[in-house]
Amino acid sequence: MKLACHALAMLSILPATLAMADSDDYPLSLANCGREISFVSAPERVVTIGQSATEILYALGEGDKVVGTSVWFNPVLPQFREINAGIERIADNDPSFEAVVNRKPDLVAVQYEWHVGPTGSVATRSQFHDLGIASYIMPADCDTKNNATGGDGTRVAAFSTDSIYKGITELAMIMDARQQGDALVAELKSRESRAITRAEGLELPDDLSAVFWFSSPDAATDPYVAGRLGAPGYMMDKLGIRNVIESDEEWPTVGWETIARADPDIIVVARMDRRRYPADDVESKLDFLHSDPVAREMSAVRNGHIVEMDAHAMSATMRTIFGLETLADALSTMSLSP
């Protein structure tokens, strides 16, 4: 039996009538991912490289300033469909430097440092700076993380949702929308607290374990699974679940035989629209788990303890709180022996 759990609750649309910050807030200077950035006024044209920055700007009521988006994993949140439909998607995945610059932004808001950083796949921050374009990288991809190790980086300390709230607050400051930022952070903190409290009331087994499977080049090869210090590690820690993967890498590759020996009680699989790899398709993942002679013998598969979660919630984004809710909801439907 397959357990598909999708508890993506709707964020309330923040009132557009909230008062804006005083003009005295400018010039504004911030330390961002190892670089000092400054603004003399709120940006008027923003290109986003990463769904996290896109949805935060929409939630802040700043969608009218967004002139291009890129790097999408899941459909936009339902309440933002209308505004998103009117904004150019310059790329589903990595945009070119030229495509970003051609939108004439005065700010590029970035989810991952590997897109815009010292060796950015799109550009370096200096390349944008030389054209008078500011760049802001979401702190969740820099705080407690070393991106110089290659791949998806390595966590040097556990991810905390504090870095999400910091990113929302700072983007709100940059966009002259402090009150909207405060309201959004308060709402997300409330939802985070409620999900944790709900899980605590379930009286889960002390030795409950899990693995998060993001994707694979194909279903049968070593999968990209969540390390212990990233966003999935945070979810497991808050809900009292042990991650069977002990790596500090953000998304290490681990063989199925190794995972099967650890025999996790729960397998969380990523659901996404992206199709960079065949195993991006959640149905491909599920078919493999039920047909592979090693994988199908794992307790989680035999007991139907497979949870589907939006891929974007598995990254360090505001949707991580929604992922926490998804997992807490799924646990409430499982028969788990204490």
Side-chain angles (χ1 to χ4, degrees), residues 154-200:
T154 301
R155 290 281 171 184
V156 296
F159 159 81
S160 164
T161 50
D162 287 346
S163 64
I164 301 298
Y165 302 139
K166 175 183 175 182
I168 292 170
T169 299
E170 290 185 343
L171 263 183
M173 291 168 62
I174 291 168
M175 301 304 298
D176 201 8
R178 289 176 186 254
Q179 291 192 34
Q180 290 93 325
D182 291 345
L184 179 57
V185 167
E187 179 182 359
L188 291 171
K189 284 184 174 181
S190 176
R191 291 178 65 165
E192 179 183 18
S193 178
R194 288 197 302 269
I196 294 169
T197 299
R198 180 178 185 189
E200 289 173 347

Side-chain angles (χ1 to χ4, degrees), residues 41-306:
S41 61
E44 293 295 327
R45 296 178 62 84
V46 184
V47 168
T48 57
I49 303 176
Q51 189 170 351
S52 176
T54 306
E55 291 187 332
I56 288 173
L57 287 168
Y58 291 168
L60 292 173
E62 297 297 313
D64 61 328
K65 307 289 180 60
V66 179
V67 296
T69 71
S70 58
V71 189
W72 289 85
F73 289 95
N74 292 105
V76 71
L77 289 168
Q79 66 270 35
F80 304 136
R81 284 175 188 156
E82 183 176 353
I83 190 163
N84 187 66
I87 297 171
E88 180 183 3
R89 180 179 294 200
I90 58 179
D92 290 333
N93 295 304
D94 300 10
S96 68
F97 177 61
E98 292 77 13
V100 176
V101 171
N102 285 344
R103 299 304 300 150
K104 297 180 172 56
D106 42 21
L107 171 66
V108 176
V110 183
Q111 180 171 343
Y112 298 115
E113 191 175 25
W114 69 274
H115 281 134
V116 179
T119 58
S121 64
V122 176
T124 64
R125 301 186 81 173
S126 293
Q127 283 177 277
F128 284 119
H129 177 77
D130 290 347
L131 295 176
I133 302 170
S135 60
Y136 178 81
I137 301 173
M138 301 308 297
D141 197 56
C142 301
D143 293 359
T144 75
K145 191 178 176 193
N146 179 5
N147 289 311
T149 59
D152 293 301
T154 301
R155 290 281 171 184
V156 296
F159 159 81
S160 164
T161 50
D162 287 346
S163 64
I164 301 298
Y165 302 139
K166 175 183 175 182
I168 292 170
T169 299
E170 290 185 343
L171 263 183
M173 291 168 62
I174 291 168
M175 301 304 298
D176 201 8
R178 289 176 186 254
Q179 291 192 34
Q180 290 93 325
D182 291 345
L184 179 57
V185 167
E187 179 182 359
L188 291 171
K189 284 184 174 181
S190 176
R191 291 178 65 165
E192 179 183 18
S193 178
R194 288 197 302 269
I196 294 169
T197 299
R198 180 178 185 189
E200 289 173 347
L202 297 176
E203 298 182 358
L204 300 172
D206 292 337
D207 60 347
L208 194 63
S209 63
V211 65
F212 277 60
W213 179 13
F214 191 83
S215 190
S216 313
D218 62 69
T221 58
D222 293 354
Y224 294 105
V225 291
R228 66 190 182 97
L229 298 178
Y234 150 83
M235 293 183 218
M236 287 182 268
D237 179 67
K238 291 299 182 183
L239 301 184
I241 303 170
R242 176 176 59 85
N243 188 356
V244 300
I245 307 300
E246 297 183 353
S247 173
D248 291 350
E249 290 182 47
E250 193 85 341
W251 293 102
T253 54
V254 180
W256 280 112
E257 290 189 359
T258 300
I259 296 171
R261 282 195 296 272
D263 197 24
D265 299 301
I266 300 163
I267 299 174
V268 184
V269 296
R271 177 182 50 242
M272 69 185 87
D273 287 358
R274 188 192 78 171
R275 291 295 181 267
R276 178 172 290 173
Y277 302 123
D280 284 350
D281 183 3
V282 71
E283 293 302 326
S284 175
K285 294 184 181 78
L286 297 173
D287 288 345
F288 171 81
L289 290 174
H290 289 288
S291 62
D292 181 79
V294 173
R296 70 188 182 195
E297 295 304 319
M298 290 189 288
S299 299
V301 180
R302 288 189 289 103
N303 294 327
H305 293 167
I306 301 172

